[in-house]
Amino acid sequence: MELNFKHQLGLLCLTLLLPALCSSQDSFTCSRATYYGSPDCYGNPRGACGFGEYGKTVNDGSVAGVSWLWKNGSGCGACYQVRCKIAELCDENGAYVVVTDYGEGDRTDFIMSARGYSKLGRNTYASAELLKYGVVDVEYRRVPCRYGGYNLLVKVHEHSRNPHYLAILILYIGGTYDVTAVELWQEECQEWRRMRRAFGTVFDAENPPRGDIKLRFQLSGNAEQYWVQSKNVISGDWEAGAVYDSEIHLG
């Protein structure tokens, strides 16, 4: 009876420790991943982050939709290292994916583009075998996004109409930062005005200021949160599709 009790106690302790072990080694967290198909293996340009074609081809199309990591849109643009756990098939470095969409699967945290999912494999044969699995156990961690030659960019969203409605899309969020808020400068009031997060990484404002528009961004990451102001302005004659370089480099 005593041995049986110790055995049960040991099993209980192991069960309680498993989540901690799974999430503490090299800061990886255990989960599952699957993929969604597309004719060209790229991502979905209609994703919930609002990235459009950028969300299809950024990071060479190695992108993913996520569930709770979406963070009500502030998780858009985050980068993750994802590696699967089938020793004979999986590459030890795994795949690096950019979050461009929201998605829920079969107890999965990642629904990857086929292009990204195939990079989990150690070679062409292994990648093909993983695609047959459909869903695999993985471990993942947040890693810095690195966009050589790109600062944080602001794109005027296609639904914008000068001068009555301005929506912006934020691209190339480097490092491990999340953009949690955006404000524009109201010259006549001498104060910053909060823009609404419309969805994903799209922020908007009715009746924006006339003339050039100054923006600042609230960044969250590395256990800190702070504001940084764009070094450039959105010109007063802005129109849908225009892209502005903030000259803010996040690396």
Side-chain angles (χ1 to χ4, degrees):
M1 185 71 178
E2 182 181 358
L3 288 175
N4 187 46
F5 173 75
K6 288 181 178 179
H7 179 68
Q8 291 179 353
L9 183 61
L11 284 176
L12 175 62
C13 290
L14 180 60
T15 301
L16 292 173
L17 282 171
L18 273 175
L21 290 172
C22 198
S23 61
S24 62
Q25 184 179 9
D26 296 326
S27 300
F28 279 90
T29 300
C30 291
S31 184
R32 283 154 58 85
T34 185
Y35 66 95
Y36 54 86
S38 65
D40 54 12
C41 296
Y42 284 104
N44 177 16
R46 297 180 299 278
C49 289
F51 285 141
E53 286 298 317
Y54 168 91
K56 180 180 178 182
T57 59
V58 66
N59 194 39
D60 191 32
S62 295
V63 298
V66 295
S67 52
W68 70 275
L69 294 171
W70 194 66
K71 302 178 185 177
N72 294 319
S74 66
C76 291
C79 295
Y80 290 91
Q81 179 186 7
V82 183
R83 58 191 190 190
C84 60
K85 304 172 73 174
I86 305 172
E88 64 273 20
L89 296 178
C90 298
D91 182 86
E92 62 180 9
N93 293 315
Y96 293 84
V97 295
V98 179
V99 173
T100 59
D101 202 354
Y102 173 87
E104 294 182 356
D106 180 14
R107 294 179 289 117
T108 62
D109 280 320
F110 292 88
I111 303 178
M112 304 167 66
S113 65
R115 184 177 292 262
Y117 187 89
S118 65
K119 291 182 179 179
L120 295 174
R122 59 170 61 226
N123 52 43
T124 302
Y125 167 79
S127 296
E129 290 299 304
L130 290 175
L131 288 169
K132 293 178 184 178
Y133 273 77
V135 180
V136 291
D137 292 327
V138 298
E139 55 187 10
Y140 69 88
R141 65 180 175 181
R142 179 84 179 263
V143 294
C145 294
R146 304 194 185 282
Y147 301 111
Y150 285 99
N151 297 318
L152 185 149
L153 299 183
V154 175
K155 181 178 181 180
V156 179
H157 193 269
E158 60 186 11
H159 292 158
S160 299
R161 295 293 180 268
N162 195 346
H164 304 295
Y165 174 72
L166 172 65
I168 61 170
L169 176 65
I170 301 172
L171 307 176
Y172 297 110
I173 304 169
T176 55
Y177 295 96
D178 299 326
V179 176
T180 52
V182 180
E183 293 183 342
L184 47 76
W185 178 249
Q186 294 276 140
E187 185 66 31
E188 66 276 14
C189 304
Q190 290 293 294
E191 65 181 13
W192 290 98
R193 170 187 167 190
R194 183 69 60 99
M195 298 184 75
R196 179 181 72 107
R197 183 188 291 276
F199 64 95
T201 188
V202 177
F203 295 81
D204 67 0
E206 298 280 356
N207 300 314
R210 301 297 177 94
D212 295 345
I213 297 176
K214 299 177 184 178
L215 295 174
R216 69 174 184 175
F217 311 92
Q218 186 179 60
L219 302 177
S220 177
N222 302 322
E224 61 179 345
Q225 185 169 281
Y226 61 95
W227 289 93
V228 59
Q229 184 174 334
S230 174
K231 297 177 183 178
N232 278 336
V233 297
I234 296 177
S235 64
D237 59 351
W238 55 264
E239 57 184 30
V243 178
Y244 296 88
D245 187 343
S246 71
E247 295 190 11
I248 297 171
H249 181 73
L250 301 174

